[in-house]
Structure formats: C-alpha cells, structure tokens
Amino acid sequence: VNPRTLLSPSYDVLIDSPIEIGFHDSLQFEVEGIPHEIVLWNAPPFDKERLTLEFAAIVKKHHELFGSLPYRRYIFMIHVSPGLGGGTEHLNSTIIQVPTTTFEDPKKYRRLLGTAAHEVFHVWNVKRLRPAALAAANLSSESYTDLLWFCEGTTSYYEELILVRAGLISADEYLLGLSESIHQCRVRPGSKVQSVAESSFDAWIKFNQATPNDLNTTVSFYESGAVVSFLLDLELRTRSNNRVSMDTLMVEMVRRFPSTGTGITTTDLIAVAGELTGTSFDEFFASYIHSTKPYPFEERVGVVGLRLALDADGVLPYSGIVTQMQNGRNIVRYVLSDGPAYEAGVLPGDEIVNELPSTPGTLVHIDLIRRGSPQRIEFTMGSISNGRWRLSRTDNPTSAQRAAYSSWLQQQL
Ligand SMILES: [Zn+2]
C-alpha cells in the first residue's frame, strides 16, 4: 500500500478523521503496544517529557477501566494560540485548543490534562457507545436526544476521576472540585426547573443560545450531568454493597452496545443498571434524570466514606443580583429568581447607580437606569447561607467504606 494513500472504511469514518499538514511538534508514546501521538501546532517551549508521561498515564487508566483500547493508533492534535479553548472528540483522535499560556500556568495546564482525559473517555462514551439518535444522525438537521447528560456529563465525571486515579491531582483537590460542582447545582435556581434529560433535549435550541435567564430556567447537561453521574455511582454501590459501580455500568454498556449497533436509549441504561444490581432503576431515573428532585447526597456519600455539609454557619445579604462593571458602569448581568430583586422587577441590562445596604431584612431603594430612563425599585434585602457544600472524609471509616473509597479513587481512605 502506498503510504501516501489514505483509506477510510466508510464515509462516516472519513468525516470523523481530521487531517493536518504543517509544522508540528510531535511526541510519541505507547500503551499496551498501541502507538499514540501528540502533535502540537504553534506551541511555545514546554516540558515535553512531562506532557508525554501524563497523557500516557491518562490513557493507561482508560485501558485499565475498559480492558482494551479500541483503536490501532490515536492522535492528540493540540492547537495553541491566544484565546483558544475547547476540544472535540473523534473516533481515533481529538483536537484540543488551548491558550498559549497553558504551559506556564498550572491551572490552565491542569485544564489541558482534564480535556485530554475527557476526550479519551469519549473514545468509548459517544464515539462508540452512542445514543440511538446520534447513531442514526442525519447530518442535515438537528438530532434530538435526552442522553447528553450521559454523553457529556458522565464523561465530565470521569474526566476528573481519571486524573485522580492517574495520580495527576490529589484526592483533596478532586473532592474540592466535586464539592464545588454539587454546590453550584444546589444554588442554581434552574435546578428546580429543568431536568438533565430536558437540558439534553433542548441543547439545540437553548444550551448553545445563552441568555441572561439561563441560570433561572436551565441546567447544564455537562455540570449537572457530572453531578448526577456521581449520584448514580453512589446509588449503584449502595444497592450492591459496592459490587457494582459506575465503572461496572460503563464497561457493561460498552460490551452490550457495540458501535455497529443501533445505539442506546434511556431504557437500555435503566435495564442494565437494574440487571447488574438486581433492583429497579425506574424511580431513580424518573426522579433525578427526568425530573428535578433534589439529589440526596447526604444520604448517599457515606457508601464511599464521605460526609457532605456546609463549611460555615450564618447568613449573608442576598438580593439575587449579579453585576458586572462595563466601561465604569455597574450593569446587572443576572437576576437570580431565588432572590428578592427578581420579584421586584430588576432586569439584566439595568445600570445600578447607588450603593446597596448589606444587612438582611433592610429595605433597599435601588436607583437604576433602564434604556436611558432613571427608575427606583424597592425590595427587602434577603439572605443566603454563608457556607459552601463540602465533601469530607469520615473520621472512623468502616472496612466497607475503605474498600469502596479505594475502588472509587484508587487511593487509601
Ligand atoms: Zn465532551
């Protein structure tokens, strides 16, 4: 075969195989004898050995989880340029875009590792284990599915889990990030309005069309999807005395629904979770996936030896107004529907010209300019808890909790 001739088994594979020609840095590693390549376009000088070792550690953890790698070669294509961000999964490669400062800024570098773990997880979840609606996608129109919480949310859940399992972040850092995700879910008014299944289904018309009211009326299938994936992991472990976990469910789903099939539906997920544990998951999905019932983490995190509690007492003043300085003017960006300003009629885009009192229960006179006209709005300052929801390890874990924690994070409790 002429090495300059590229053959694709099908049109679908062809259009899912990006091709780049140019001046790239190229790094190589192997996992289980399978070649992996990292090619970077426009990267400044950076620690190539470290990046290679850390990407290899990420792939090894995926191999450990799924038992094999379903490709003959995998390429990470990394575009480096100011202001870039994001990543796209492909069958045997990914394109990741990062800002130029990634290699000198530890937070941005950690984000690159997270994106790499996320995109490699997609090799299974989304690229091979696919929702039926995407498996049969007609590329000339929208493809609606209620499973993006699983496609993107579960992938985001594993993105972090893979990093802690690979030793690239500490358990403390992992638990802090997971705590913050739970906190954000709990304080977002949209969590009481939109289910993760609806958020998935509405992606075409809402998720990619941001409005200032999103926090009140929607959830992100990425963020809430990751949090509910953690809840599902805990639920599987609780019902099976830690014999079954999200790992078991993922591996079984991949085994049962190969990419040559017609793809999966929510019914398949419920059925497999049910078979693995010998219990019904109908109510779990009805409550937490298709409805907005609050996630009962307090009752569930004990299975992996954790507690969940607010990290501080007391209350803070709360109006629900989130402002942003624009050209020296104090402009309302969001008005959250759980605060008093929402009922009183403050709107995104209003310019606030006076100082607001900082004591809960105080009458607030808010002077603002709306579309060029001055207005005064009054409400009573509300209050909000001073604490943030935080996971912590239990003081005297049982041997069952130790075993569950170590199978979850692959570390000692
Ligand atoms: Zn993704």
Side-chain angles (χ1 to χ4, degrees), residues 40-360:
L40 302 99
W41 172 77
N42 202 30
F46 66 99
D47 187 340
K48 293 179 178 170
E49 191 183 338
R50 179 179 168 194
L51 188 77
T52 308
L53 285 173
E54 293 182 341
F55 273 36
I58 286 168
V59 176
K60 276 180 200 151
K61 282 296 159 191
H62 284 91
H63 175 266
E64 217 174 279
L65 172 59
F66 290 107
S68 64
L69 299 173
Y71 45 71
R72 286 184 300 171
R73 176 187 180 216
Y74 188 88
I75 308 178
F76 298 88
M77 301 182 195
I78 304 181
H79 298 173
V80 187
S81 214
L84 289 186
T88 307
E89 65 277 14
H90 297 288
L91 269 174
N92 307 312
S93 66
T94 175
I95 294 182
I96 296 174
Q97 303 189 302
V98 295
T100 313
T101 48
T102 296
F103 300 97
E104 62 196 54
D105 179 334
K107 272 192 187 154
K108 289 180 185 159
Y109 184 80
R110 186 209 175 290
R111 200 172 303 147
L112 167 59
L113 296 180
T115 306
H118 182 104
E119 302 309 335
V120 175
F121 197 80
H122 273 322
V123 163
W124 290 269
N125 195 24
V126 170
K127 295 316 302 182
R128 287 169 178 80
L129 178 65
R130 296 178 296 177
L134 301 187
N138 169 358
L139 300 182
S140 64
S141 65
E142 299 97 336
S143 298
Y144 289 91
T145 169
D146 58 6
L147 278 172
L148 292 188
W149 70 269
F150 178 70
C151 298
E152 291 299 352
T154 301
T155 300
S156 296
Y157 174 56
Y158 270 95
E159 156 185 343
E160 298 292 296
L161 207 45
I162 291 284
L163 293 189
V164 70
R165 287 176 177 179
L168 299 174
I169 59 172
S170 69
D172 284 349
E173 187 181 346
Y174 175 72
L175 292 179
L176 187 63
L178 190 54
S179 302
E180 193 53 29
S181 299
I182 291 171
H183 182 85
Q184 293 301 341
C185 261
R186 288 192 165 182
V187 300
R188 182 170 176 140
S191 297
K192 296 190 178 75
V193 177
Q194 190 184 49
S195 70
V196 290
E198 284 173 316
S199 172
S200 301
F201 196 83
D202 287 354
W204 291 97
I205 55 165
K206 283 196 179 150
F207 189 73
N208 296 317
Q209 314 268 350
T211 77
N213 212 28
D214 286 348
L215 293 171
N216 294 325
T217 56
T218 71
V219 293
S220 156
F221 52 81
Y222 281 89
E223 288 159 21
S224 293
V227 169
V228 80
S229 297
F230 175 44
L231 186 68
L232 179 55
D233 199 350
L234 297 169
E235 187 74 21
L236 291 161
R237 290 172 186 277
T238 301
R239 293 197 196 182
S240 68
N241 290 322
N242 202 44
R243 183 178 50 79
V244 178
S245 68
M246 200 64 191
D247 289 352
T248 329
L249 179 63
M250 288 309 305
V251 170
E252 187 61 13
M253 290 299 292
V254 167
R255 191 182 73 77
R256 285 202 203 182
F257 300 94
S259 56
T260 47
T262 53
I264 63 161
T265 62
T266 303
T267 310
D268 296 320
L269 264 181
I270 295 174
V272 174
E275 280 177 44
L276 289 171
T277 57
T279 62
S280 167
F281 270 79
D282 288 340
E283 200 185 319
F284 182 93
F285 275 71
S287 300
Y288 306 119
I289 304 297
H290 289 278
S291 182
T292 58
K293 195 170 175 186
Y295 303 150
F297 281 112
E298 282 82 347
E299 298 149 33
R300 285 288 174 269
V301 294
V303 71
V304 289
L306 300 178
R307 287 178 286 145
L308 180 71
L310 283 166
D311 67 355
D313 295 329
V315 294
L316 295 170
Y318 184 64
S319 65
I321 298 172
V322 180
T323 60
Q324 190 177 40
M325 291 307 286
Q326 286 176 15
N327 302 322
R329 300 183 309 148
N330 193 22
I331 305 293
V332 176
R333 187 163 183 215
Y334 306 116
V335 186
L336 296 169
S337 58
D338 59 353
Y342 185 87
E343 281 287 314
V346 179
L347 296 176
D350 288 346
E351 177 187 355
I352 298 178
V353 295
N354 62 332
E355 291 278 323
L356 302 190
S358 56
T359 314

